[in-house]
Amino acid sequence: MRDLPRSAYSRVTSARIAPSRPAIAATAPSHIHPVLRRWLADSLGSTRKELLVTFRDRVEIPRFPEPDAAARGKSGALDAARALIDRIAAARDSQYRADEADLGRRFEARVLERFWLVQAMRVEMPLRAVENLAARHDVLYVEPRNAGEPPPWGGPPTPNSGDEVIVGRHRIGSDPYFDLGVPSVPMSLLDTGVFFGHELLTPPPDEPSHIGIKGDCVNGLADCITQDPEKPAMNAEDTCADAHGTASAAIITGGVANGGRYRGVTRNTLDCFRVYEGCPPTYVSTAGLHGMQDAVSNLRRVICAEIQTDSTDLCAISIAADHAFDSGAAVIAPNGNKHLGADGSTYRTVTAPAYARKVIGVGAYDFGFTSGEPITAQNWGPTADNRVKPDVMGPTNTETADNGGPGLYFSFTGTSGAAPYVAGAAALLRGWLKNAAGVRDPGYVYAQLILAGRKTSPFDPKMGAGGIVLRPPGQLHFGKISLIDGEQVDIPVSIGGIGQFHVEAAAWWPERLEVDEQGNRVDTHNVIELRLLDKDQNLVYADVQHDGVFKRDDINLVAHPGNVLWVRARMVGNGEAQQTVYWAVAVRGP
């Protein structure tokens, strides 16, 4: 990886290329969660509820420091992170004070809590004031503390399939990276809690535990490890029959107590935060924010958010996930599964936070079907601005740890069962990228995940880039560039040899949520065109589709001595913003 000379860049002055799809209709998004809207119709206006209110955010989240090697407690990096959080909170303070006064005066709201990762507040207020509050120009979303949303599983636990995690690992090609012994990447899991007594999550006496912080974000204070005196006793354990969080943790970082067939994708330290309450478990929106904040503050560089809230990119957890990316974390979330929601509707569209712009949304295919077709229960996009979701897919329905006691196993289904595989792959890629080239930006990880997909543009909206298979560490090239509207850059990629080569190229770019003065989402995004050219600059492949925020293409190329593949990226955007683009190229053969 090296800096490109300025000669690689050129400004194209030709007319804007017409989009390959109709312009996105300007529609006002809903600022009220569907369950809350049902409450408004069915309840007395005087009924008071605990709600989460998200405001337009004017505070930029900076990149957080790299975690100290092997640090589990206090460290210089953690101290620097705390100082950053204090500055972010201070930057939010004046707006919070003004909003608290206005909410109390005009909407009869009592503010219970502020958050630092997003401009959001937990409030208690009468339902009769919700519609007026949601109409305020800087209010993005109003949602219940608990809307009764289940985790993204595919139904009750199924009998043992006999196909353990090793099958899923082979499907995603992760073992070569594991065997390299790449540096451990600290991770966080937001889920239903974990049965820590399972043998896959209990190390032998001479080995360190793979489990880090055990947090209860439902009954704890904001740090998820200090008891809230007004709540029931804290418990980070997974106590429900579905074993959701236990299975997720075991797929990510389970040990070899029962043999290598059940071993997890990584050997990384995993913080486990419970963000669901009750049995059957239901998602608590404020707990999700606490868990995301704690993952960022503890410098966890891959976050697996096993959450499916029936919201969009305007809700608090979506914005928090985008901000976690800005801080330096890769965020992986399941696309969600069709389910009967608390308002009686069946949801089929991608859920939050997978909906968000800087999150890898994960679809699922049954490990037993070689076609890689998505499971029937999977949700999919596109989003309001025509981004493809899922971004990638992972295997599901593999056998892993149950929470009923030691020695118990079951087959974990749904997009829930796929997300831990992609999260584990992201951690391995992140460790390899840091070790091989010293890069830490999560955008590099996302581009590698897209490269690992088995589908090319134009993408099936149910599959995105498809099931991931990690490219073997070898001829892998990667980097990032910055483009403005109409600008193009040519990236030279040397082909190390002669003969027939298979070349795969991918690009991914992060975009921010844009909101107009009325608080409505601006449903546009930048367009990046990707072309592959031979050493004489002759075009061999062009991807000029105008949907989505990622590209993936592959070609067969006959290479001669000194052959160079040129990867040409051009931005056809909105004429306003500069866009960072992460690219990756894999060369195989002859």
Side-chain angles (χ1 to χ4, degrees):
M1 185 180 66
R2 59 183 176 84
D3 293 335
L4 296 172
R6 290 310 305 170
S7 60
Y9 294 80
S10 62
R11 179 76 178 170
V12 179
T13 57
S14 58
R16 177 79 57 85
I17 298 174
S20 60
R21 56 170 170 77
I24 300 169
T27 57
S30 175
H31 297 276
I32 299 176
H33 189 285
V35 170
L36 178 55
R37 190 165 291 284
R38 177 175 65 82
W39 290 358
L40 300 182
D42 295 346
S43 302
L44 295 174
S46 59
T47 302
R48 297 182 70 89
K49 289 285 189 178
E50 202 169 300
L51 306 174
L52 181 61
V53 184
T54 305
F55 301 85
R56 182 190 300 168
D57 206 325
R58 295 177 173 85
V59 175
E60 296 285 340
I61 301 299
R63 181 58 50 86
F64 274 51
E66 187 68 7
D68 294 338
R72 288 184 176 232
K74 294 198 67 175
S75 70
L78 288 174
D79 290 342
R82 303 296 187 269
L84 273 179
I85 292 168
D86 289 343
R87 290 203 293 272
I88 294 168
R92 297 192 184 282
D93 184 65
S94 61
Q95 188 61 52
Y96 271 139
R97 284 188 281 110
D99 287 335
E100 286 181 14
D102 186 60
L103 264 63
R105 181 178 64 253
R106 295 175 55 203
F107 305 103
E108 305 174 65
R110 182 168 66 96
V111 176
L112 304 175
E113 184 180 7
R114 300 175 177 183
F115 298 86
W116 65 263
L117 189 57
V118 292
Q119 195 81 22
M121 295 191 293
R122 178 169 61 97
V123 306
E124 187 219 24
M125 62 181 293
L127 292 179
R128 63 170 171 262
V130 167
E131 298 234 35
N132 287 336
L133 174 60
R136 210 179 90 165
H137 73 281
D138 60 347
V139 171
L140 297 185
Y141 208 69
V142 186
E143 59 191 300
R145 173 186 174 273
N146 188 330
E149 296 156 314
W153 61 328
T158 62
N160 293 355
S161 63
D163 292 287
E164 299 89 350
V165 174
I166 189 174
V167 177
R169 298 196 325 253
H170 286 174
R171 290 283 188 271
I172 68 172
S174 60
D175 280 3
Y177 283 83
F178 182 94
D179 294 338
L180 282 175
V182 297
S184 179
V185 174
M187 304 176 66
S188 281
L189 172 67
L190 313 186
D191 211 316
T192 61
V194 172
F195 170 52
F196 301 106
H198 197 283
E199 62 265 22
L200 294 186
L201 301 172
T202 305
D206 58 341
E207 292 186 13
S209 173
H210 293 179
I211 302 299
I213 297 171
K214 302 174 182 178
D216 180 354
C217 300
V218 176
N219 296 320
L221 297 178
D223 63 4
C224 299
I225 58 174
T226 303
Q227 176 69 53
D228 186 334
E230 298 181 359
K231 300 282 184 63
M234 291 178 59
N235 183 10
E237 293 274 345
D238 184 356
T239 59
C240 294
D242 66 2
H244 198 280
T246 304
S248 298
I251 290 175
I252 291 173
T253 193
V256 295
N258 199 15
R261 295 187 64 81
Y262 287 102
R263 174 180 61 76
V265 176
T266 81
R267 55 170 65 88
N268 296 349
T269 298
L270 180 69
D271 292 348
C272 300
F273 294 110
R274 184 168 76 93
V275 298
Y276 291 79
E277 67 181 352
C279 288
T282 52
Y283 174 62
V284 178
S285 59
T286 52
L289 280 191
H290 288 156
M292 194 69 72
Q293 288 187 159
D294 288 350
V296 172
S297 66
N298 287 294
L299 305 179
R300 287 2 190 179
R301 287 318 201 223
V302 176
I303 302 169
C304 183
E306 288 273 28
I307 295 167
Q308 60 167 13
T309 178
D310 300 311
S311 306
T312 64
D313 50 348
L314 297 179
C315 73
I317 194 63
S318 286
I319 297 173
D322 277 353
H323 287 182
F325 174 93
D326 295 337
S327 80
V331 183
I332 313 298
N335 245 42
N337 305 318
K338 298 174 188 176
H339 67 279
L340 188 64
D343 67 348
S345 300
T346 300
Y347 296 96
R348 292 183 173 84
T349 56
V350 60
T351 55
Y355 196 112
R357 285 160 174 73
K358 300 173 186 176
V359 173
I360 292 294
V362 179
Y365 65 91
D366 191 291
F367 76 88
F369 295 104
T370 56
S371 65
E373 291 295 317
I375 59 173
T376 57
Q378 176 189 292
N379 290 349
W380 60 84
T383 62
D385 60 333
N386 271 13
R387 285 175 292 116
V388 172
K389 288 286 181 174
D391 299 277
V392 297
M393 300 173 68
T396 193
N397 200 28
T398 54
E399 187 180 318
T400 188
D402 199 347
N403 67 351
L408 296 181
Y409 295 82
F410 79 112
S411 294
F412 191 31
T413 60
T415 55
S416 291
Y421 283 103
V422 177
L428 292 174
L429 287 168
R430 210 270 185 182
W432 176 76
L433 287 163
K434 180 181 177 181
N435 189 59
V439 298
R440 303 170 177 87
D441 195 319
Y444 289 104
V445 175
Y446 287 9
Q448 292 286 342
L449 286 173
I450 299 299
L451 183 70
R454 298 296 86 207
K455 300 296 181 181
T456 58
S457 178
F459 298 108
D460 184 323
K462 298 181 182 179
M463 303 175 74
I468 63 168
V469 182
L470 301 188
R471 299 293 87 206
Q475 276 205 63
L476 287 176
H477 308 260
F478 51 88
K480 69 176 177 179
I481 56 176
S482 184
L483 296 172
I484 60 175
D485 192 16
E487 188 176 32
Q488 74 180 28
V489 59
D490 290 348
I491 305 164
V493 176
S494 297
I495 306 296
I498 60 174
Q500 183 81 23
F501 286 83
H502 186 69
V503 178
E504 298 166 290
W508 178 90
W509 55 100
E511 296 182 350
R512 60 186 298 165
L513 172 65
E514 298 289 349
V515 180
D516 64 21
E517 290 303 314
Q518 288 71 48
N520 293 326
R521 182 201 306 111
V522 179
D523 288 337
T524 60
H525 63 77
N526 292 326
V527 172
I528 306 298
E529 297 176 346
L530 190 67
R531 292 174 169 84
L532 303 180
L533 303 96
D534 64 18
K535 66 181 180 67
D536 299 317
Q537 301 277 311
N538 297 313
L539 183 69
V540 293
Y541 191 91
D543 182 347
V544 294
Q545 294 291 315
H546 283 216
D547 293 335
V549 294
F550 59 86
K551 304 285 188 184
R552 191 191 176 283
D553 306 302
D554 57 23
I555 61 169
N556 291 315
L557 182 70
V558 177
H560 304 284
N563 198 274
V564 172
L565 171 75
W566 291 89
V567 180
R568 174 174 293 171
R570 179 186 174 209
M571 179 171 168
V572 184
N574 56 23
E576 298 175 359
Q578 192 171 53
Q579 180 64 65
T580 297
V581 179
Y582 298 88
W583 61 271
V585 173
V587 180
R588 290 186 294 154

